[in-house]
Amino acid sequence: MRFELTEEQSLVLATARDFAKREIEPKAASLDREARWPSEIIAQMAELGFLGMAIPEAHGGAGLDYLSYALVVEEVSRACASTGVIMSVNNSLFCDPIYKFGTDDQKARVLAPVASGKALGAFGLTEPSSGSDARTMKSVAEQQPDGSFVLNGAKNWITNGPHAEFILVFAVSTVDPVKPRHTALLLQKGMPGFTVAEPDHKLGIHAAHSATIFFDNVRVPKENVVGEVGGGFKVAMATLDGGRIGIAAQAVGIAQAAFEKAVAYSKERESFGGVIANLQAIQFMLADMATELEAARLLVHRAATLKDQGKKHNAEASMAKLFASEMATRVAHKAIQVHGGYGYSTEYDVERHYRDARITEIYEGTSEIQRIVVANSLLRE
């Protein structure tokens, strides 16, 4: 495995870091406080090619590799975790499956505008009564004689949902108590029966709006089936492997921001006759934070590299997501501890990083699901 970035990857990283520092970070606190959708930042990311990074230029993307994508997600999330997950969902949960499983018509009609940032995409798998156990979903897509489907049901916690033009929805197309079959369907905002609820109120990532979406007899043309009829679960699971790399990169970015602020504060805060950076208790916390951060980053880069090489990476993606997400919570926790009482104040960013970090252990597969994926991979060997 390479430990040095290529010249192109280094340029992408530098561009993302400069953009995030200059355009995103100064707005991050107010975006969180106001729960404001960062429309102007999304438009800038589209201009930079950040919304379809690993999609070929012929389909509206930037034509870069997945490691470059992970690098950019980390830098964007380091500045604002909300913006990071908006970008991650568009890239890995929408563009990636349409490119991998979509038809030529779908790539021209849907993928190109989303990958170029002219429109946004969302991913509809989770339901009010179906989270980690996706096979128990209740949404039903009934196939009609002409090959179209009539969709009924609901999806919740849909990131980008209130603003997305398109959503990739998974529904039961063959009802069976033991082995139901699922189909992936492309829906567009404005279809009759397609309703989006008010944005969710959440602990963190306030500017990344999510919502419950309802489907009441939505007629979906056969041209909007992604992959094979009955093959939707395969599409969903393959998509989540890449999505978990994006969330792992987001977690690393959040932790990096919390760590840097803890280091800076420790050099300024005076106590016991000097700055607290001189105290061994603080030094040990910072050393642990730095070590875990680097370990998580390497796991993310390994998983992204395997995906770029076309190699199996589901266990590696789960390892990266599991370790990076739990690491982010630990690092943000320690960053608050380094700040003491000020860390608990909204005047300092570390409390925001702590709130934002917590969701990375839940969405796109909880830590418990990641452990199951990794264990299953080990026991199959």
Side-chain angles (χ1 to χ4, degrees):
M1 176 181 171
R2 292 175 59 101
F3 285 92
E4 301 83 23
L5 300 179
T6 65
E7 184 176 347
E8 183 177 54
Q9 290 165 344
S10 297
L11 179 59
V12 169
L13 174 60
T15 300
R17 183 168 293 172
D18 174 70
F19 168 69
K21 188 75 175 176
R22 182 168 34 84
E23 301 293 340
I24 304 177
E25 190 173 350
K27 301 176 181 177
S30 63
L31 288 172
D32 174 77
R33 186 168 54 251
E34 299 164 13
R36 182 175 69 82
W37 181 254
S39 54
E40 75 283 9
I41 296 174
I42 294 170
Q44 290 172 305
M45 290 197 296
E47 292 178 5
L48 290 168
F50 288 173
L51 296 181
M53 292 193 65
I55 303 302
E57 293 181 27
H59 298 301
L64 298 169
D65 58 13
Y66 220 76
L67 179 53
S68 294
Y69 160 67
L71 294 170
V72 175
V73 172
E74 178 184 337
E75 292 302 319
V76 170
S77 301
R78 181 180 177 185
C80 173
S82 292
T83 307
V85 75
I86 292 168
M87 174 194 165
S88 177
V89 166
N90 203 74
N91 275 272
S92 59
L93 294 189
F94 190 86
C95 289
D96 194 43
I98 304 305
Y99 175 63
K100 186 178 296 180
F101 297 99
T103 63
D104 289 342
D105 169 68
Q106 290 167 356
K107 291 174 184 176
R109 179 166 51 91
V110 177
L111 178 60
V114 175
S116 64
K118 294 182 177 67
L120 277 181
F123 181 80
L125 182 65
T126 300
E127 297 185 358
S129 62
S130 171
S132 295
D133 187 5
R135 290 185 185 275
T136 62
M137 71 176 69
K138 298 293 192 294
S139 293
V140 174
E142 185 177 352
Q143 192 165 22
Q144 306 301 299
D146 64 356
S148 66
F149 286 84
V150 173
L151 175 65
N152 284 281
K155 299 291 178 178
N156 67 337
W157 305 119
I158 306 305
T159 301
N160 295 354
H163 307 276
E165 180 68 20
F166 300 98
I167 177 171
L168 181 60
V169 175
F170 299 85
V172 177
S173 53
T174 301
V175 179
D176 187 284
V178 180
K179 290 186 178 180
R181 300 293 296 275
H182 307 79
T183 296
L185 302 169
L186 269 173
L187 274 75
Q188 187 169 7
K189 184 182 292 184
M191 284 181 164
F194 181 121
T195 307
V196 182
E198 290 297 310
D200 301 313
H201 298 281
K202 300 171 292 192
L203 175 71
I205 56 168
H206 291 158
H209 297 169
S210 63
T212 299
I213 301 180
F214 300 96
F215 311 106
D216 182 13
N217 289 322
V218 179
R219 185 169 288 273
V220 185
K222 63 182 179 180
E223 292 79 18
N224 284 25
V225 173
V226 177
E228 299 177 355
V229 173
F233 203 74
K234 173 186 174 183
V235 175
M237 294 303 104
T239 300
L240 287 174
D241 287 342
R244 286 163 181 165
I245 297 172
I247 297 305
Q250 180 199 25
V252 172
I254 295 168
Q256 182 68 39
F259 169 70
E260 290 172 352
K261 284 159 188 170
V263 171
Y265 185 80
S266 74
K267 294 178 179 178
E268 299 170 358
R269 174 67 170 174
E270 293 190 3
S271 187
F272 299 102
V275 295
I276 62 172
N278 294 331
L279 301 176
Q280 191 177 67
I282 300 297
Q283 292 174 356
F284 279 9
M285 278 196 282
L286 296 177
D288 287 344
M289 294 159 77
T291 301
E292 288 200 73
L293 252 170
E294 193 60 29
R297 184 174 287 113
L298 289 172
L299 283 171
V300 174
H301 290 191
R302 180 180 69 151
T305 299
L306 288 173
K307 181 173 173 62
D308 282 330
Q309 294 172 345
K311 295 179 179 178
K312 189 176 180 181
H313 59 280
N314 65 319
E316 289 78 7
S318 286
M319 288 179 186
K321 203 267 190 185
L322 169 64
F323 186 79
S325 63
E326 296 191 349
M327 173 278 300
T329 300
R330 289 192 296 268
V331 167
H333 174 92
K334 286 188 173 78
I336 288 177
Q337 199 70 11
V338 170
H339 281 73
Y342 289 112
Y344 202 66
S345 167
T346 56
E347 293 181 24
Y348 287 76
D349 287 337
V350 287
E351 65 85 27
R352 169 167 55 89
H353 299 319
Y354 185 73
R355 289 185 288 105
D356 289 343
R358 190 62 184 86
I359 188 57
T360 64
E361 297 181 53
I362 298 173
Y363 56 20
E364 294 193 39
T366 63
S367 290
E368 290 72 26
I369 291 297
Q370 307 314 316
R371 288 184 168 90
I372 289 172
V373 172
V374 173
N376 286 344
S377 176
L378 294 173
L379 296 173
R380 281 197 304 266
E381 293 179 357

